[in-house]
Amino acid sequence: DEDYIWQNEYKDWVKDYVDSAPASANQAATKPRLHWCRDGAACQNTAYFTGAVQPTDADFCDHTKYPSGTLHRWKSNLRQEDRYVIYDNPKYPWIIGAMRYPHIAHMPRDADIICMPVPRRQGTNAHHIVHWFWNGYYDAVDVHAHFSQVPQELIYGNDTGTYEINRIDHCQFVQPAGIATGIYPATDNVSTCLNQLEIAGRG
């Protein structure tokens, strides 16, 4: 089902999934987004926040292995348009759930935090994709919902020492004196760029 992500209509489908959800399906009030401030003083702004969230609160949410620190609660009137829906829609059987959070304030150094379940459905593939997008920015994470409990020490995987990551750096030209070749995509590797540099060097 991951092929749907590349379709031009994908974002429209997700929007329709959220908009078509029954009102009773919205869990945003009981599972609110929380906020982490890089500068703790910013979270003292009572125009936005009602105070710190305690780990004992029913709606507390944070990373279990790498906790963020003190989290704060957005004022409820600022969260009226938040949507947190998980339901079955026959038009989109490949969507398990979706969350939508309008932008509240310009705080690019901070982070909002939500926790979401990954429903495990009998008879369906246990592999899921958690995908977020905002104004052209996006990322995706593969998640496996196992049918038997994974030992706590292995929930982030087992380092066998054989896994490799091939990194392709992105480039930024800062006041270049000149550009010797054309600009080419480096989606898989940089061989085209290197070849063109060699040709330009011979010229």
Side-chain angles (χ1 to χ4, degrees):
D1 292 342
E2 63 186 282
D3 290 342
Y4 288 113
I5 292 177
W6 310 112
Q7 302 300 316
N8 292 333
E9 303 87 356
Y10 171 69
K11 290 183 180 179
D12 292 332
W13 292 336
V14 175
K15 181 179 184 300
D16 184 51
Y17 173 89
V18 174
D19 292 341
S20 301
S24 60
N26 186 18
Q27 304 177 58
T30 57
K31 298 180 179 178
R33 56 168 149 171
L34 305 176
H35 190 78
W36 172 80
C37 285
R38 185 178 299 273
D39 175 5
C43 276
Q44 304 306 313
N45 188 336
T46 57
Y48 294 125
F49 306 105
T50 61
V53 186
Q54 302 302 319
T56 53
D57 291 347
D59 57 1
F60 179 80
C61 162
D62 199 3
H63 199 293
T64 56
K65 189 172 183 180
Y66 304 105
S68 306
T70 303
L71 301 176
H72 290 77
R73 194 185 307 280
W74 289 101
K75 296 182 70 171
S76 59
N77 64 299
L78 301 176
R79 297 186 285 105
Q80 293 302 307
E81 299 302 318
D82 288 3
R83 297 292 181 269
Y84 183 120
V85 296
I86 299 175
Y87 75 105
D88 292 326
N89 186 318
K91 290 173 61 178
Y92 312 107
W94 45 275
I95 300 180
I96 292 178
M99 294 80 189
R100 182 170 66 205
Y101 300 95
H103 192 65
I104 294 177
H106 181 69
M107 297 179 174
R109 291 166 52 85
D110 298 359
D112 275 352
I113 294 174
I114 65 167
C115 289
M116 68 182 75
V118 180
R120 187 185 64 202
R121 297 178 177 177
Q122 294 289 346
T124 62
N125 197 328
H127 172 249
H128 307 296
I129 298 175
V130 178
H131 184 214
W132 69 263
F133 51 86
W134 174 77
N135 277 8
Y137 296 92
Y138 63 91
D139 203 352
V141 178
D142 293 286
V143 176
H144 288 271
H146 294 273
F147 286 82
S148 58
Q149 185 171 354
V150 176
Q152 181 68 23
E153 67 275 11
L154 296 177
I155 60 175
Y156 296 104
N158 182 26
D159 185 2
T160 62
T162 60
Y163 187 76
E164 295 182 359
I165 297 177
N166 293 322
R167 187 182 73 179
I168 300 175
D169 291 326
H170 294 272
C171 298
Q172 179 181 9
F173 302 105
V174 180
Q175 297 181 343
I179 299 179
T181 72
I183 307 298
Y184 302 95
T187 304
D188 297 317
N189 57 64
V190 296
S191 59
T192 301
C193 298
L194 292 175
N195 292 336
Q196 291 301 314
L197 281 173
E198 289 183 6
I199 294 172
R202 297 191 210 110

